[in-house]
PDB file of all heavy atoms in Angstrom:
ATOM      1  N   TYR A 107      87.671 108.683 103.979  1.00 87.00           N
ATOM      2  CA  TYR A 107      88.946 108.306 103.354  1.00 87.00           C
ATOM      3  C   TYR A 107      89.538 107.075 104.035  1.00 87.00           C
ATOM      4  O   TYR A 107      89.945 106.122 103.354  1.00 87.00           O
ATOM      5  CB  TYR A 107      89.936 109.464 103.402  1.00 87.00           C
ATOM      6  CG  TYR A 107      91.275 109.074 102.860  1.00 87.00           C
ATOM      7  CD1 TYR A 107      91.471 108.951 101.491  1.00 87.00           C
ATOM      8  CD2 TYR A 107      92.332 108.764 103.705  1.00 87.00           C
ATOM      9  CE1 TYR A 107      92.690 108.546 100.985  1.00 87.00           C
ATOM     10  CE2 TYR A 107      93.549 108.366 103.207  1.00 87.00           C
ATOM     11  CZ  TYR A 107      93.731 108.265 101.850  1.00 87.00           C
ATOM     12  OH  TYR A 107      94.933 107.855 101.363  1.00 87.00           O
ATOM     13  N   LEU A 108      89.599 107.073 105.366  1.00 90.00           N
ATOM     14  CA  LEU A 108      90.198 105.933 106.064  1.00 90.00           C
ATOM     15  C   LEU A 108      89.366 104.667 105.906  1.00 90.00           C
ATOM     16  O   LEU A 108      89.929 103.566 105.828  1.00 90.00           O
ATOM     17  CB  LEU A 108      90.403 106.269 107.536  1.00 90.00           C
ATOM     18  CG  LEU A 108      91.481 107.320 107.809  1.00 90.00           C
ATOM     19  CD1 LEU A 108      91.542 107.646 109.288  1.00 90.00           C
ATOM     20  CD2 LEU A 108      92.841 106.853 107.314  1.00 90.00           C
ATOM     21  N   ALA A 109      88.046 104.804 105.859  1.00 89.00           N
ATOM     22  CA  ALA A 109      87.204 103.621 105.640  1.00 89.00           C
ATOM     23  C   ALA A 109      87.441 103.033 104.259  1.00 89.00           C
ATOM     24  O   ALA A 109      87.547 101.803 104.108  1.00 89.00           O
ATOM     25  CB  ALA A 109      85.738 103.982 105.820  1.00 89.00           C
ATOM     26  N   ILE A 110      87.553 103.879 103.249  1.00 88.00           N
ATOM     27  CA  ILE A 110      87.807 103.377 101.895  1.00 88.00           C
ATOM     28  C   ILE A 110      89.184 102.723 101.813  1.00 88.00           C
ATOM     29  O   ILE A 110      89.342 101.658 101.210  1.00 88.00           O
ATOM     30  CB  ILE A 110      87.661 104.512 100.862  1.00 88.00           C
ATOM     31  CG1 ILE A 110      86.189 104.897 100.736  1.00 88.00           C
ATOM     32  CG2 ILE A 110      88.215 104.112  99.501  1.00 88.00           C
ATOM     33  CD1 ILE A 110      85.943 106.142  99.910  1.00 88.00           C
ATOM     34  N   VAL A 111      90.176 103.339 102.434  1.00 89.00           N
ATOM     35  CA  VAL A 111      91.530 102.761 102.418  1.00 89.00           C
ATOM     36  C   VAL A 111      91.547 101.416 103.136  1.00 89.00           C
ATOM     37  O   VAL A 111      92.115 100.440 102.640  1.00 89.00           O
ATOM     38  CB  VAL A 111      92.553 103.739 103.041  1.00 89.00           C
ATOM     39  CG1 VAL A 111      93.874 103.060 103.325  1.00 89.00           C
ATOM     40  CG2 VAL A 111      92.767 104.926 102.117  1.00 89.00           C
ATOM     41  N   ALA A 112      90.913 101.347 104.307  1.00 89.00           N
ATOM     42  CA  ALA A 112      90.893 100.086 105.052  1.00 89.00           C
ATOM     43  C   ALA A 112      90.071  99.024 104.323  1.00 89.00           C
ATOM     44  O   ALA A 112      90.428  97.843 104.331  1.00 89.00           O
ATOM     45  CB  ALA A 112      90.325 100.310 106.455  1.00 89.00           C
ATOM     46  N   TRP A 113      88.981  99.436 103.682  1.00 89.00           N
ATOM     47  CA  TRP A 113      88.118  98.480 102.979  1.00 89.00           C
ATOM     48  C   TRP A 113      88.818  97.888 101.761  1.00 89.00           C
ATOM     49  O   TRP A 113      88.648  96.730 101.441  1.00 89.00           O
ATOM     50  CB  TRP A 113      86.833  99.163 102.570  1.00 89.00           C
ATOM     51  CG  TRP A 113      85.789  98.244 102.022  1.00 89.00           C
ATOM     52  CD1 TRP A 113      85.463  98.059 100.723  1.00 89.00           C
ATOM     53  CD2 TRP A 113      84.944  97.378 102.764  1.00 89.00           C
ATOM     54  NE1 TRP A 113      84.468  97.141 100.597  1.00 89.00           N
ATOM     55  CE2 TRP A 113      84.129  96.696 101.851  1.00 89.00           C
ATOM     56  CE3 TRP A 113      84.809  97.101 104.117  1.00 89.00           C
ATOM     57  CZ2 TRP A 113      83.180  95.770 102.250  1.00 89.00           C
ATOM     58  CZ3 TRP A 113      83.863  96.181 104.514  1.00 89.00           C
ATOM     59  CH2 TRP A 113      83.064  95.527 103.587  1.00 89.00           C
ATOM     60  N   SER A 114      89.607  98.704 101.084  1.00 87.00           N
ATOM     61  CA  SER A 114      90.232  98.234  99.854  1.00 87.00           C
ATOM     62  C   SER A 114      91.696  97.829 100.051  1.00 87.00           C
ATOM     63  O   SER A 114      92.384  97.559  99.070  1.00 87.00           O
ATOM     64  CB  SER A 114      90.148  99.320  98.781  1.00 87.00           C
ATOM     65  OG  SER A 114      90.877 100.459  99.194  1.00 87.00           O
ATOM     66  N   GLU A 115      92.159  97.765 101.282  1.00 90.00           N
ATOM     67  CA  GLU A 115      93.548  97.422 101.560  1.00 90.00           C
ATOM     68  C   GLU A 115      93.789  95.952 101.227  1.00 90.00           C
ATOM     69  O   GLU A 115      93.065  95.076 101.681  1.00 90.00           O
ATOM     70  CB  GLU A 115      93.844  97.693 103.043  1.00 90.00           C
ATOM     71  CG  GLU A 115      95.286  97.816 103.369  1.00 90.00           C
ATOM     72  CD  GLU A 115      95.943  96.465 103.490  1.00 90.00           C
ATOM     73  OE1 GLU A 115      95.364  95.552 104.074  1.00 90.00           O
ATOM     74  OE2 GLU A 115      97.056  96.343 102.959  1.00 90.00           O
ATOM     75  N   PHE A 116      94.805  95.697 100.420  1.00 92.00           N
ATOM     76  CA  PHE A 116      95.064  94.339  99.958  1.00 92.00           C
ATOM     77  C   PHE A 116      96.374  93.768 100.488  1.00 92.00           C
ATOM     78  O   PHE A 116      96.434  92.597 100.864  1.00 92.00           O
ATOM     79  CB  PHE A 116      95.087  94.308  98.423  1.00 92.00           C
ATOM     80  CG  PHE A 116      95.340  92.952  97.851  1.00 92.00           C
ATOM     81  CD1 PHE A 116      94.333  92.018  97.814  1.00 92.00           C
ATOM     82  CD2 PHE A 116      96.588  92.610  97.368  1.00 92.00           C
ATOM     83  CE1 PHE A 116      94.553  90.754  97.296  1.00 92.00           C
ATOM     84  CE2 PHE A 116      96.820  91.357  96.853  1.00 92.00           C
ATOM     85  CZ  PHE A 116      95.799  90.421  96.812  1.00 92.00           C
ATOM     86  N   VAL A 117      97.414  94.559 100.537  1.00 92.00           N
ATOM     87  CA  VAL A 117      98.750  94.024 100.833  1.00 92.00           C
ATOM     88  C   VAL A 117      98.823  93.439 102.238  1.00 92.00           C
ATOM     89  O   VAL A 117      99.269  92.306 102.425  1.00 92.00           O
ATOM     90  CB  VAL A 117      99.824  95.118 100.622  1.00 92.00           C
ATOM     91  CG1 VAL A 117     101.190  94.617 101.012  1.00 92.00           C
ATOM     92  CG2 VAL A 117      99.813  95.577  99.182  1.00 92.00           C
ATOM     93  N   PHE A 118      98.399  94.206 103.253  1.00 92.00           N
ATOM     94  CA  PHE A 118      98.409  93.672 104.616  1.00 92.00           C
ATOM     95  C   PHE A 118      97.458  92.484 104.734  1.00 92.00           C
ATOM     96  O   PHE A 118      97.775  91.481 105.378  1.00 92.00           O
ATOM     97  CB  PHE A 118      97.995  94.735 105.634  1.00 92.00           C
ATOM     98  CG  PHE A 118      99.067  95.739 105.947  1.00 92.00           C
ATOM     99  CD1 PHE A 118      98.736  97.071 106.111  1.00 92.00           C
ATOM    100  CD2 PHE A 118     100.385  95.366 106.096  1.00 92.00           C
ATOM    101  CE1 PHE A 118      99.700  98.010 106.403  1.00 92.00           C
ATOM    102  CE2 PHE A 118     101.360  96.297 106.382  1.00 92.00           C
ATOM    103  CZ  PHE A 118     101.016  97.614 106.544  1.00 92.00           C
ATOM    104  N   ALA A 119      96.284  92.596 104.129  1.00 92.00           N
ATOM    105  CA  ALA A 119      95.280  91.532 104.238  1.00 92.00           C
ATOM    106  C   ALA A 119      95.782  90.231 103.629  1.00 92.00           C
ATOM    107  O   ALA A 119      95.544  89.155 104.168  1.00 92.00           O
ATOM    108  CB  ALA A 119      93.986  91.967 103.576  1.00 92.00           C
ATOM    109  N   ARG A 120      96.500  90.317 102.525  1.00 92.00           N
ATOM    110  CA  ARG A 120      96.991  89.111 101.869  1.00 92.00           C
ATOM    111  C   ARG A 120      98.220  88.537 102.573  1.00 92.00           C
ATOM    112  O   ARG A 120      98.412  87.328 102.607  1.00 92.00           O
ATOM    113  CB  ARG A 120      97.319  89.420 100.403  1.00 92.00           C
ATOM    114  CG  ARG A 120      97.645  88.222  99.587  1.00 92.00           C
ATOM    115  CD  ARG A 120      96.427  87.347  99.451  1.00 92.00           C
ATOM    116  NE  ARG A 120      96.743  86.206  98.628  1.00 92.00           N
ATOM    117  CZ  ARG A 120      96.149  85.041  98.736  1.00 92.00           C
ATOM    118  NH1 ARG A 120      95.189  84.871  99.610  1.00 92.00           N
ATOM    119  NH2 ARG A 120      96.496  84.045  97.974  1.00 92.00           N
ATOM    120  N   THR A 121      99.042  89.404 103.155  1.00 92.00           N
ATOM    121  CA  THR A 121     100.280  88.966 103.779  1.00 92.00           C
ATOM    122  C   THR A 121     100.072  88.459 105.199  1.00 92.00           C
ATOM    123  O   THR A 121     100.635  87.440 105.587  1.00 92.00           O
ATOM    124  CB  THR A 121     101.301  90.119 103.800  1.00 92.00           C
ATOM    125  OG1 THR A 121     101.457  90.610 102.480  1.00 92.00           O
ATOM    126  CG2 THR A 121     102.637  89.656 104.326  1.00 92.00           C
ATOM    127  N   LEU A 122      99.273  89.161 105.972  1.00 92.00           N
ATOM    128  CA  LEU A 122      99.146  88.843 107.392  1.00 92.00           C
ATOM    129  C   LEU A 122      98.054  87.829 107.703  1.00 92.00           C
ATOM    130  O   LEU A 122      98.049  87.252 108.785  1.00 92.00           O
ATOM    131  CB  LEU A 122      98.882  90.131 108.183  1.00 92.00           C
ATOM    132  CG  LEU A 122      99.969  91.195 108.103  1.00 92.00           C
ATOM    133  CD1 LEU A 122      99.536  92.447 108.844  1.00 92.00           C
ATOM    134  CD2 LEU A 122     101.281  90.667 108.650  1.00 92.00           C
ATOM    135  N   VAL A 123      97.128  87.616 106.791  1.00 92.00           N
ATOM    136  CA  VAL A 123      96.021  86.689 107.034  1.00 92.00           C
ATOM    137  C   VAL A 123      96.020  85.641 105.928  1.00 92.00           C
ATOM    138  O   VAL A 123      95.862  85.973 104.755  1.00 92.00           O
ATOM    139  CB  VAL A 123      94.665  87.434 107.067  1.00 92.00           C
ATOM    140  CG1 VAL A 123      93.533  86.450 107.267  1.00 92.00           C
ATOM    141  CG2 VAL A 123      94.658  88.474 108.160  1.00 92.00           C
ATOM    142  N   THR A 124      96.184  84.379 106.303  1.00 88.00           N
ATOM    143  CA  THR A 124      96.205  83.306 105.303  1.00 88.00           C
ATOM    144  C   THR A 124      94.991  82.384 105.396  1.00 88.00           C
ATOM    145  O   THR A 124      94.692  81.687 104.441  1.00 88.00           O
ATOM    146  CB  THR A 124      97.482  82.457 105.435  1.00 88.00           C
ATOM    147  OG1 THR A 124      97.561  81.931 106.757  1.00 88.00           O
ATOM    148  CG2 THR A 124      98.715  83.300 105.143  1.00 88.00           C
ATOM    149  N   LYS A 125      94.304  82.363 106.522  1.00 89.00           N
ATOM    150  CA  LYS A 125      93.118  81.513 106.649  1.00 89.00           C
ATOM    151  C   LYS A 125      91.964  82.113 105.850  1.00 89.00           C
ATOM    152  O   LYS A 125      91.630  83.279 106.023  1.00 89.00           O
ATOM    153  CB  LYS A 125      92.695  81.404 108.113  1.00 89.00           C
ATOM    154  CG  LYS A 125      93.665  80.658 108.992  1.00 89.00           C
ATOM    155  CD  LYS A 125      93.148  80.628 110.417  1.00 89.00           C
ATOM    156  CE  LYS A 125      94.164  79.989 111.335  1.00 89.00           C
ATOM    157  NZ  LYS A 125      93.735  80.072 112.740  1.00 89.00           N
ATOM    158  N   PRO A 126      91.343  81.341 104.976  1.00 88.00           N
ATOM    159  CA  PRO A 126      90.201  81.881 104.210  1.00 88.00           C
ATOM    160  C   PRO A 126      89.058  82.384 105.089  1.00 88.00           C
ATOM    161  O   PRO A 126      88.327  83.280 104.691  1.00 88.00           O
ATOM    162  CB  PRO A 126      89.761  80.695 103.354  1.00 88.00           C
ATOM    163  CG  PRO A 126      90.981  79.853 103.215  1.00 88.00           C
ATOM    164  CD  PRO A 126      91.724  80.001 104.514  1.00 88.00           C
ATOM    165  N   ALA A 127      88.914  81.845 106.285  1.00 87.00           N
ATOM    166  CA  ALA A 127      87.837  82.304 107.172  1.00 87.00           C
ATOM    167  C   ALA A 127      88.058  83.744 107.623  1.00 87.00           C
ATOM    168  O   ALA A 127      87.098  84.443 107.950  1.00 87.00           O
ATOM    169  CB  ALA A 127      87.746  81.391 108.388  1.00 87.00           C
ATOM    170  N   ASN A 128      89.298  84.205 107.650  1.00 87.00           N
ATOM    171  CA  ASN A 128      89.615  85.563 108.107  1.00 87.00           C
ATOM    172  C   ASN A 128      89.904  86.534 106.966  1.00 87.00           C
ATOM    173  O   ASN A 128      90.295  87.670 107.220  1.00 87.00           O
ATOM    174  CB  ASN A 128      90.824  85.534 109.057  1.00 87.00           C
ATOM    175  CG  ASN A 128      90.508  84.860 110.362  1.00 87.00           C
ATOM    176  OD1 ASN A 128      89.357  84.706 110.732  1.00 87.00           O
ATOM    177  ND2 ASN A 128      91.533  84.437 111.061  1.00 87.00           N
ATOM    178  N   TRP A 129      89.765  86.108 105.733  1.00 88.00           N
ATOM    179  CA  TRP A 129      90.047  86.981 104.596  1.00 88.00           C
ATOM    180  C   TRP A 129      89.121  88.181 104.598  1.00 88.00           C
ATOM    181  O   TRP A 129      87.954  88.094 104.966  1.00 88.00           O
ATOM    182  CB  TRP A 129      89.852  86.235 103.291  1.00 88.00           C
ATOM    183  CG  TRP A 129      91.005  85.391 102.878  1.00 88.00           C
ATOM    184  CD1 TRP A 129      92.216  85.273 103.481  1.00 88.00           C
ATOM    185  CD2 TRP A 129      91.031  84.521 101.753  1.00 88.00           C
ATOM    186  NE1 TRP A 129      92.994  84.391 102.797  1.00 88.00           N
ATOM    187  CE2 TRP A 129      92.294  83.913 101.733  1.00 88.00           C
ATOM    188  CE3 TRP A 129      90.121  84.199 100.771  1.00 88.00           C
ATOM    189  CZ2 TRP A 129      92.675  83.011 100.761  1.00 88.00           C
ATOM    190  CZ3 TRP A 129      90.495  83.286  99.796  1.00 88.00           C
ATOM    191  CH2 TRP A 129      91.758  82.707  99.793  1.00 88.00           C
ATOM    192  N   LEU A 130      89.633  89.281 104.120  1.00 89.00           N
ATOM    193  CA  LEU A 130      88.811  90.460 103.879  1.00 89.00           C
ATOM    194  C   LEU A 130      88.150  90.336 102.515  1.00 89.00           C
ATOM    195  O   LEU A 130      88.476  89.459 101.718  1.00 89.00           O
ATOM    196  CB  LEU A 130      89.668  91.724 103.930  1.00 89.00           C
ATOM    197  CG  LEU A 130      90.324  92.036 105.257  1.00 89.00           C
ATOM    198  CD1 LEU A 130      91.067  93.339 105.174  1.00 89.00           C
ATOM    199  CD2 LEU A 130      89.290  92.102 106.364  1.00 89.00           C
ATOM    200  N   VAL A 131      87.227  91.226 102.231  1.00 90.00           N
ATOM    201  CA  VAL A 131      86.469  91.161 100.978  1.00 90.00           C
ATOM    202  C   VAL A 131      87.395  91.237  99.771  1.00 90.00           C
ATOM    203  O   VAL A 131      87.245  90.482  98.809  1.00 90.00           O
ATOM    204  CB  VAL A 131      85.419  92.297 100.938  1.00 90.00           C
ATOM    205  CG1 VAL A 131      84.747  92.371  99.587  1.00 90.00           C
ATOM    206  CG2 VAL A 131      84.405  92.106 102.029  1.00 90.00           C
ATOM    207  N   ILE A 132      88.364  92.120  99.825  1.00 90.00           N
ATOM    208  CA  ILE A 132      89.251  92.320  98.676  1.00 90.00           C
ATOM    209  C   ILE A 132      90.080  91.069  98.382  1.00 90.00           C
ATOM    210  O   ILE A 132      90.338  90.735  97.230  1.00 90.00           O
ATOM    211  CB  ILE A 132      90.131  93.577  98.875  1.00 90.00           C
ATOM    212  CG1 ILE A 132      90.765  94.012  97.575  1.00 90.00           C
ATOM    213  CG2 ILE A 132      91.170  93.363  99.923  1.00 90.00           C
ATOM    214  CD1 ILE A 132      89.838  94.731  96.677  1.00 90.00           C
ATOM    215  N   VAL A 133      90.487  90.362  99.425  1.00 91.00           N
ATOM    216  CA  VAL A 133      91.241  89.119  99.215  1.00 91.00           C
ATOM    217  C   VAL A 133      90.308  88.034  98.696  1.00 91.00           C
ATOM    218  O   VAL A 133      90.695  87.229  97.845  1.00 91.00           O
ATOM    219  CB  VAL A 133      91.945  88.682 100.527  1.00 91.00           C
ATOM    220  CG1 VAL A 133      92.690  87.374 100.339  1.00 91.00           C
ATOM    221  CG2 VAL A 133      92.889  89.772 101.004  1.00 91.00           C
ATOM    222  N   GLY A 134      89.078  88.031  99.171  1.00 90.00           N
ATOM    223  CA  GLY A 134      88.097  87.086  98.651  1.00 90.00           C
ATOM    224  C   GLY A 134      87.810  87.326  97.176  1.00 90.00           C
ATOM    225  O   GLY A 134      87.643  86.376  96.404  1.00 90.00           O
TER     226      GLY A 134
END
Side-chain angles (χ1 to χ4, degrees):
Y107 176 76
L108 291 176
I110 289 171
V111 167
W113 188 258
S114 63
E115 199 280 318
F116 180 77
V117 176
F118 283 140
R120 188 66 178 152
T121 306
L122 299 176
V123 178
T124 57
K125 293 179 185 174
N128 292 341
W129 278 356
L130 297 183
V131 173
I132 195 78
V133 178

